[in-house]
Amino acid sequence: MSEQETRWLTPSQQVIWRNWLNAEAWINEQLNADLRPHNLDLNEYEVLVVLSESPGRCIRMSQLAEGANQSRSRLTHTVKRMEADGLITRETAVHDRRGVIAQLTDKGFDVLTRAAPDHVASVRRVLIDPMSEEDWEGFGRAMQAVLDAAGIEPQTIPADPQTHCAKGDTAGTNGLGT
């Protein structure tokens, strides 16, 4: 942009931008605080959700990073803590021996099952309920426009036939998303 004139934000754009920054920080703070009684933070909760929605409650670490919106490096640290707490396990991929598969343990699923109602109530309290239905739909359109501009596809958990849990379990499960 050095060759072009800077397109400064208008006063109303600047207010909305700053409001978004403040709201995003406050929302994350609230969601994290409401997950603390379950000994989870939002990043860990999202890892549990993605695993719960994956066939056999397992997924390649690279897919988990994408699904949980974390860098691979950050995810590795998150998963290491969660593994130490017995919430997930990691195994070498059975099919190709190159990848690493993360699998949700029964303990991890139990923690998610207990945390999910509180988390959903938090999401409603801090994000959904303060908006009218019209504002919520406009918010959804705005977020989709941002994702479209970034070339980011809607997130789905692929049923990868090459992903097999270490114990050979590839059955689907009912996830506990937000």
Side-chain angles (χ1 to χ4, degrees):
M1 190 174 265
S2 60
E3 294 180 19
Q4 297 177 341
E5 185 175 319
T6 301
R7 292 180 53 216
W8 296 107
L9 300 181
T10 65
S12 67
Q13 289 170 332
Q14 196 169 62
V15 166
I16 292 169
W17 168 244
R18 289 180 178 170
N19 284 347
W20 179 79
L21 289 174
N22 288 334
E24 193 252 351
W26 181 79
I27 289 166
N28 285 333
E29 179 182 308
Q30 296 300 305
L31 296 178
N32 277 308
D34 290 343
L35 285 168
R36 251 181 241 121
H38 301 283
N39 295 314
L40 294 172
D41 63 26
L42 188 56
N43 290 325
E44 293 164 336
Y45 181 84
E46 286 303 314
V47 166
L48 295 178
V49 168
V50 172
L51 286 168
S52 79
E53 294 173 342
S54 300
R57 296 183 186 162
C58 65
I59 192 169
R60 285 182 174 275
M61 288 285 289
S62 58
Q63 292 173 299
L64 181 56
E66 185 177 324
N69 293 309
Q70 295 185 37
S71 70
R72 289 183 186 189
S73 174
R74 179 183 193 137
L75 179 68
T76 299
H77 293 294
T78 301
V79 165
K80 186 176 181 181
R81 285 191 314 272
M82 296 175 77
E83 192 173 28
D85 290 340
L87 304 178
I88 64 176
T89 60
R90 287 184 287 182
E91 303 275 340
T92 301
V94 172
H95 179 73
D96 65 12
R97 298 286 201 207
R98 290 185 315 228
V100 175
I101 305 294
Q103 182 164 17
L104 184 63
T105 64
D106 289 342
K107 179 181 178 182
F109 190 75
D110 289 344
V111 168
L112 177 61
T113 300
R114 287 190 305 274
D118 292 340
H119 178 66
V120 171
S122 296
V123 170
R124 287 193 172 285
R125 178 179 54 82
V126 303
L127 183 63
I128 296 172
D129 292 347
M131 289 190 219
S132 69
E133 185 65 29
E134 184 178 308
D135 287 344
W136 181 248
E137 290 173 9
F139 181 70
R141 287 189 301 275
M143 294 301 97
Q144 188 59 57
V146 170
L147 294 175
D148 289 346
I152 299 173
E153 295 290 323
Q155 284 192 355
T156 58
I157 304 302
D160 182 353
Q162 302 302 315
T163 299
H164 298 283
C165 298
K167 295 182 176 109
D169 178 12
T170 58
T173 61
N174 292 326
L176 289 175
T178 304

